[in-house]
Amino acid sequence: MTQDPDHAVELLWREREREPRQGLSLDRIVRAAIELADAEGLAGLSMRKVADRLGFTTMSLYRHVPGRDHLVDLMRDAVLAEHPEAGAGGDWRTRLEEVARQAWRLRRRHPWLAEIRGTRHVPGPNAVARYDEMLGALTGTALHPSEVIAAAGVVARFIDAEALLLVETQREERRSGVSEQEWWGARDSLYDRLDRYPALSHLWEAGGWDHPEDSFEFGLARLLDGIEALIRRRDETRDGICRECGTPLEPADSGRPRVYCSRACRQRAYRRRQTG
């Protein structure tokens, strides 16, 4: 059944009524679904399983939530409330690192968050707040607005990509009953054939796999290095680019410093200030 996005908005953003002491409620359904997804991943989540967990019929759940897709959106926003509010101190990199690491810790507790795929999941208030924190860390730097949004998107997708690796590892371990380390440790027939590959052999003999890098920390640091290099370059040329679109500015005939490359950019900046 296709999810009604407007219905999803109402479910996610409406004020929650006080939960009854007994009986079924939306909050109880969402909590039970989160516990189920934590144990089995999204593949193991169904309305029937949630109903069984609560001791109700499947049809009774539909009086509170229209279907599984709406339930997943509610689950996502509920666990994002566990994300502590980012501190306001520090420079942009310190703040963005804090937000990213909090998001990573949350996905380690609830790896199924990264399984929520697709571009049309309606965000709830907690999802919007987390996104706003990430944007806020970069707002005020020398990046122009589109670059702030792009940089936040790259960092968010990196976090989910790392979390998906956790999901896939856990799924295989549940399916096979064999840990990742045990499975790869038993692949001697493969390793015996790898000595013909010089780069692999060199890194193996140099101990490259003995103490592997933390892939999340390594990747996050390299991403932020790249953003920092761009911000530094923007800072060095800040007075030489249009503050609206980033286009390099030609010197004005009057000798006075220019701020915008065109009348259109000046008008767009004015309208944004008026509506902001």
Side-chain angles (χ1 to χ4, degrees), residues 5 18 32 38 47 50 69 108-109 124 140 144 147 156 159 180 194 222 241 243 246 249-250 259 262 270-271:
R18 181 171 294 180
D38 286 347
M47 298 294 278
V50 175
D69 288 344
R108 290 189 68 117
R109 292 198 298 273
H144 31 85
E147 290 173 334
I159 296 167
E180 192 82 349
L194 297 183
R222 302 295 74 77
I241 63 171
R243 293 185 185 176
L249 297 173
E250 296 293 332
V259 176
S262 66
Y270 175 77
R271 285 196 297 269

Side-chain angles (χ1 to χ4, degrees), residues 51-268:
D52 290 346
R53 196 178 191 93
L54 291 167
F56 287 85
T57 65
T58 304
M59 289 305 299
S60 64
L61 267 62
Y62 287 106
R63 289 196 289 271
H64 298 271
V65 59
R68 184 182 183 277
D69 288 344
H70 287 89
L71 179 57
V72 169
D73 286 341
L74 288 161
M75 292 161 56
R76 176 174 179 252
D77 209 63
V79 298
L80 287 174
E82 300 173 18
H83 194 308
E85 187 173 338
D91 61 10
W92 72 265
R93 180 161 181 156
T94 300
R95 293 169 61 198
L96 189 54
E97 281 180 340
E98 181 184 357
V99 173
R101 289 199 178 103
Q102 287 174 352
W104 175 236
R105 287 192 289 270
L106 190 65
R107 280 155 181 78
R108 290 189 68 117
R109 292 198 298 273
H110 308 289
W112 52 268
L113 277 171
E115 292 186 276
I116 302 174
R117 314 308 295 164
T119 60
R120 296 190 178 182
H121 283 275
V122 175
N126 294 312
V128 173
R130 303 293 80 78
Y131 183 48
D132 192 66
E133 288 174 353
M134 190 170 283
L135 293 175
L138 290 161
T139 300
T141 66
L143 298 180
H144 31 85
S146 61
E147 290 173 334
V148 168
I149 294 168
V154 167
V155 173
R157 286 189 292 274
F158 164 71
I159 296 167
D160 275 341
E162 287 291 302
L164 271 177
L165 183 60
L166 293 180
V167 170
E168 292 160 3
T169 300
Q170 291 178 357
R171 183 187 299 135
E172 286 301 309
E173 289 180 344
R174 283 196 300 266
R175 182 190 62 79
S176 67
V178 178
S179 73
E180 192 82 349
Q181 185 175 3
E182 290 170 338
W183 193 90
W184 283 106
R187 302 281 75 79
D188 289 341
S189 61
L190 170 65
Y191 304 140
D192 290 343
R193 291 170 167 80
L194 297 183
D195 58 359
R196 71 191 72 173
Y197 300 99
L200 275 170
S201 298
H202 168 72
L203 291 171
W204 180 271
E205 291 166 3
W209 276 274
D210 293 346
H211 303 286
E213 296 285 337
D214 181 312
S215 63
F216 174 79
E217 289 294 336
F218 182 85
L220 178 63
R222 302 295 74 77
L223 272 178
L224 297 184
D225 286 347
I227 296 170
E228 186 170 5
L230 179 59
I231 289 175
R232 187 177 298 117
R233 187 162 71 247
R234 286 277 185 269
D235 276 329
E236 290 170 354
T237 60
R238 198 169 210 171
D239 294 334
I241 63 171
C242 174
R243 293 185 185 176
E244 180 64 20
C245 70
T247 300
L249 297 173
E250 296 293 332
D253 294 337
S254 65
R256 295 173 59 188
R258 297 178 64 191
V259 176
Y260 303 107
C261 67
S262 66
R263 184 184 298 274
C265 276
R266 183 184 296 111
Q267 289 172 343
R268 280 196 295 270

Side-chain angles (χ1 to χ4, degrees), residues 26-48:
L26 185 58
D27 286 342
R28 285 192 63 196
I29 293 168
V30 171
R31 284 202 302 271
I34 290 168
E35 291 170 1
L36 185 59
D38 286 347
E40 301 184 24
L42 282 190
L45 178 71
S46 69
M47 298 294 278
R48 180 186 59 79

